[in-house]
Amino acid sequence: MRRCRDKGQVRVALQAAGMPQPRFAVVRTEEDLDEALTRVGLPCVAKPVDDSGSQLVRWCGTRDEAREHAALVMAVRTNVRGQPAAGAVLLEEFLDAPEYSVELFSVDGVHHCVGITRKTVTGIPYFVETRHVYPAPLGEAAEAALRKAASDALDVLGVRLGPTHVEIRLTSQGPALIELNPRLAGGMIPELVRLAHGVDLLGQQLHAALGHDVDLQPTRAGSAGVAFLLPQRSGVLRRVTGAEDATRLERVARVTVTGRPGKEVRPARDAYDRLGSVIAQGCGTAEVDAVLDKALGILGLELEDLVPSSGLARRDGEEGTRR
């Protein structure tokens, strides 16, 4: 578990096992950065080795961007969870390919694939997850390749019990592992699994921890997805509109608003910039995507402009500015 919590150690272990993954380097001092960038190449992704929620994860197109962001990461002393930060940067080759996550559950070293999630993220330079759809629409060969890559990674790292969330990009050369998390997925994915297939992963995690039998057998066949509400510009949130109307849409399971009036917002750089979410159910991914799109079209954000000289906000008008 200690090794799984350090993205750099995960990379080293997978490299030793010959598993496909991006080129990488772990950087702990600014003096080591230039050599690391030469090995990894540009563009690259720079991230802390020990954080979550896309915190301080950034695409860097130039050496100057990489140097600036690496210095920012190495200066952090406490991560977003309030834990002491490692102060190390993981540089990775940028792989421009579709992203999926494989949700697994291990019992006595046997890895059961619960399913695969299709993930959508914001455009560069940040990688905030904007939508998840479960199960991902995949052909048999692609699904088998993703399952095997995730399961092999768990063997390499010695995971034997409990849920894991393995993020993989499916490149033209095959799966390349991005991150391995020895825990349940975030981003409402366990709820999507429950709605789509009737499997309560949180309940099964508790069963496993207590030494009870684990039941991962689906009880229904469907699809579910979540889309996150993101501001498109900076400002002060006045209110989120349309939540009640979106909730009344057929196939919408839940609308959650997390943004509070008076909160200063910005275009998303990490998961903590999201202001709410919509969860939808359907018979397939196309129906789920359509419902999510319709719900997002109803929701709106009314913002006030920030006034740089005073830090106060200026209203955009009586109706505000929609998302």
Side-chain angles (χ1 to χ4, degrees):
M1 290 302 102
R2 187 178 296 112
R3 181 167 57 178
C4 287
R5 279 287 298 125
D6 186 309
K7 297 174 175 58
Q9 290 189 37
V10 169
R11 287 271 177 246
V12 171
L14 295 177
Q15 182 182 55
M19 290 200 61
Q21 60 177 334
R23 295 188 302 274
F24 74 95
V26 178
V27 179
R28 300 184 185 277
T29 67
E30 292 188 34
E31 290 74 20
D32 296 333
L33 188 59
D34 280 337
E35 180 188 349
L37 284 169
T38 299
R39 283 188 281 131
V40 173
L42 291 169
C44 69
V45 178
K47 64 176 74 168
V49 299
D50 59 345
D51 221 328
S52 60
S54 302
Q55 186 82 4
L56 291 176
V57 179
R58 194 185 194 283
W59 178 93
C60 301
T62 67
R63 284 180 174 259
D64 284 344
E65 287 177 346
R67 288 190 193 99
E68 182 179 353
H69 191 69
L72 181 64
V73 173
M74 287 187 285
V76 173
R77 294 292 174 260
T78 305
N79 70 18
V80 73
R81 302 291 184 182
Q83 302 162 329
V89 183
L90 177 62
L91 297 181
E92 297 175 335
E93 171 192 8
F94 172 61
L95 300 179
D96 188 7
E99 186 171 338
Y100 300 90
S101 65
V102 185
E103 323 306 336
L104 301 107
F105 205 109
S106 303
V107 180
D108 295 329
V110 178
H111 312 305
H112 305 275
C113 181
V114 177
I116 299 174
T117 307
R118 188 194 74 197
K119 302 168 72 71
T120 307
V121 299
T122 56
I124 57 177
Y126 301 106
F127 298 90
V128 182
E129 294 167 349
T130 61
R131 182 176 297 200
H132 304 310
V133 174
Y134 176 92
L138 287 164
E140 289 185 10
E143 182 173 339
L146 289 169
R147 286 173 177 253
K148 184 178 188 306
S151 181
D152 287 350
L154 296 192
D155 283 338
V156 168
L157 293 163
V159 175
R160 296 188 53 80
L161 179 66
T164 44
H165 171 67
V166 184
E167 297 173 332
I168 299 175
R169 292 218 169 197
L170 189 55
T171 74
S172 58
Q173 286 76 43
L177 193 136
I178 301 300
E179 288 191 3
L180 189 152
N181 301 283
R183 55 167 173 78
L184 287 173
M188 306 304 295
I189 290 173
E191 179 65 1
L192 304 186
V193 174
R194 188 187 70 81
L195 291 171
H197 287 167
V199 178
D200 180 1
L201 289 176
L202 177 56
Q204 298 309 312
Q205 181 181 16
L206 294 174
H207 277 276
L210 292 168
H212 299 165
D213 291 339
V214 172
D215 184 4
L216 302 172
Q217 188 64 35
T219 60
R220 54 179 173 266
S223 297
V226 59
F228 297 99
L229 185 60
L230 303 174
Q232 299 303 309
R233 68 176 184 86
S234 298
V236 174
L237 181 65
R238 290 177 61 192
R239 63 172 180 157
V240 177
T241 62
E244 291 185 3
D245 291 337
T247 301
R248 287 193 285 267
L249 288 177
E250 187 177 1
R251 297 290 189 177
V252 167
R254 184 188 309 165
V255 175
T256 302
V257 175
T258 56
R260 296 291 177 260
K263 175 183 174 67
E264 189 172 324
V265 302
R266 65 183 182 182
R269 298 183 184 182
D270 56 51
Y272 305 95
D273 289 322
R274 299 187 297 213
L275 301 179
S277 63
V278 179
I279 295 178
Q281 295 174 269
C283 298
T285 55
E287 182 178 27
V288 167
D289 277 324
V291 174
L292 293 175
D293 288 341
K294 188 172 183 179
L296 287 179
I298 293 173
L299 293 168
L301 302 178
E302 292 186 3
L303 303 181
E304 298 175 355
D305 285 335
L306 291 170
V307 180
S309 60
S310 65
L312 301 177
R314 186 186 70 235
R315 293 194 176 187
D316 286 327
E318 197 63 33
E319 295 304 316
T321 299
R322 294 181 68 82
R323 176 180 55 84

